[in-house]
């Protein structure tokens, strides 16, 4: 990197007092500008990474909240007499997707909070980035699929008439779609974080 | 990186003829290995990028094929007497998603084929990567959503009885899901291509 500067050191005239050479920075005068630029670039990058980390954590937290709500609302949606969620496979699919999303976002949120508070990485940086990216992606596909499959059923039921069963189903589907939005954005952030890693 | 090797140069005995020092490569003997390694790393990277480009192109081509098939099958699915696709909003959604996916994958395939054949980039490298990534992602969400929403309707219709209308609908949905798989994989490749850009 600084080969030419190190070449000059032996050529210094012996009359000049030998400068107290800092081995890590052999030509301080010429390289301060570069160093300052490097430092500010690094702090900028740290700030951006910190922002991305917080944003990703907040989005996963929102995903956890919404998928937990979808899970609770759908699981308690039993009102007897043909108004139980488990008589409709679309609603069972919504419940299954909500459970999986709750588990995934819960585990990821715990892991990231733990890493941010202790400062230690539980996984290698690249593994962690790939896990975030693929996991968010797959869960987002699952959530949008479950939500989309249940919307027409709720829609046709509510054309006949509204009651607490159809309202709860619609609320659970809405929560599922909000969880999808949170995870889709989180997948984009994870993708961007992957792009800004240099692996040097 | 190789400070210890360069430190040894001034210690060479003066009887040795002063080597014709290449300023950019002060220790040619010890660094040929490094140079060769750099070149092979670059060719490896070119090969990998070429493979990724071809893979992404093949996946988008498959996405074009499948979404075009979904479009044609669903659009021709009119058999009169309550068996027209446009009486069901799920099937209209499938058709709309298929049309959008056909247009997107067609345009992207044309662009990439044009870029590969002429060797010129129509967009900046980073813009192109981001466009690929976001576009594939959004279209994949749209396709899985449309497919999922239409599956329960076809399912319940086929429980009553099969005929050419339900079979065509199921075929169109299947094509839509295959197009989803192609675009989801293509989104992963686009994401990976973003990660391996260094922007130096």
């Amino acid at each position: 990197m600084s080969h030419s500067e190190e070449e000059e050191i032996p050529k210094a005239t012996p009359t000049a007092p030998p400068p107290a050479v800092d081995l890590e920075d052999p030509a301080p005068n010429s390289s301060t500008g570069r160093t300052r630029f490097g430092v500010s670039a690094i702090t900028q990058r740290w700030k951006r990474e910190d922002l991305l980390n917080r944003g990703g954590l907040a989005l996963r937290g929102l995903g956890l909240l919404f998928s937990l709500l979808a899970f609770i609302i759908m699981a308690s949606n039993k009102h007897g007499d043909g108004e139980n969620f488990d008589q409709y496979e679309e609603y069972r699919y919504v419940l299954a997707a909500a459970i999986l999303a709750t588990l995934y976002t819960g585990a990821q949120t715990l892991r990231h909070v733990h890493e941010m508070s202790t400062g230690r990485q539980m996984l290698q940086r690249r593994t962690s980035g790939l896990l975030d990216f693929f996991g968010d992606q797959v869960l987002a596909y699952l959530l949008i699929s479950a939500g989309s499959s249940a919307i027409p059923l709720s829609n046709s039921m509510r054309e006949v008439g509204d009651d607490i069963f159809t309202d709860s189903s619609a609320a659970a589907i809405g929560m599922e779609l909000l969880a999808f939005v949170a995870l889709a954005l989180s997948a984009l952030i994870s993708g961007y974080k992957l792009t800004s890693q240099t692996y040097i």
Side-chain angles (χ1 to χ4, degrees), chain A residues 181-198:
Chain A
V181 171
L183 276 179
L185 290 178
S186 171
L188 288 187
I189 288 191
S190 316
Y192 182 75
K193 271 165 70 178
L194 273 183
T195 72
S196 62
Q197 287 180 16
T198 46

Side-chain angles (χ1 to χ4, degrees), chain A residues 10-150:
Chain A
K11 290 176 192 165
T13 54
T15 56
V21 178
D22 180 358
L23 278 180
E24 302 224 322
D25 194 356
N29 290 329
S30 66
S31 70
T32 37
R34 210 169 356 130
T35 311
R36 200 178 306 127
F37 172 74
V39 167
S40 82
I42 289 174
T43 36
Q44 266 188 359
R45 187 171 155 191
W46 279 348
K47 272 188 201 156
R48 201 177 57 207
E49 282 190 356
D50 194 49
L51 193 71
L52 284 180
N53 278 337
R54 283 172 197 274
L57 186 61
L59 282 173
R60 288 220 186 75
L62 281 179
L64 173 60
L65 176 70
F66 289 132
S67 50
L68 189 63
L69 278 175
F71 164 48
I72 292 173
I73 296 173
M74 192 49 98
S76 61
N77 197 9
K78 301 187 94 165
H79 307 280
D81 195 22
E83 301 210 316
N84 299 320
F85 78 91
D86 50 7
Q87 291 169 354
Y88 304 92
E89 56 186 1
E90 291 92 335
Y91 291 160
R92 291 204 302 269
Y93 185 23
V94 167
L95 183 72
I99 292 175
L100 288 176
T102 307
L103 292 177
Y104 169 79
T105 50
Q108 284 278 46
T109 310
L110 274 182
R111 183 169 75 86
H112 282 282
V113 166
H114 181 256
E115 282 183 356
M116 280 179 110
S117 57
T118 63
R120 278 190 300 128
Q121 298 265 322
M122 292 172 70
L123 297 170
Q124 274 200 341
R125 206 182 144 85
R126 190 184 166 92
T127 317
S128 155
L130 286 175
L131 181 73
D132 285 0
F133 179 58
F134 285 95
D136 290 354
Q137 195 97 328
V138 169
L139 265 290
Y141 289 137
L142 184 65
L143 287 171
I144 185 74
S145 167
S148 300
S149 77

Side-chain angles (χ1 to χ4, degrees), chain A residues 6-20:
Chain A
E6 289 171 18
E7 285 278 314
E8 292 174 20
I9 297 177
K11 290 176 192 165
T13 54
T15 56

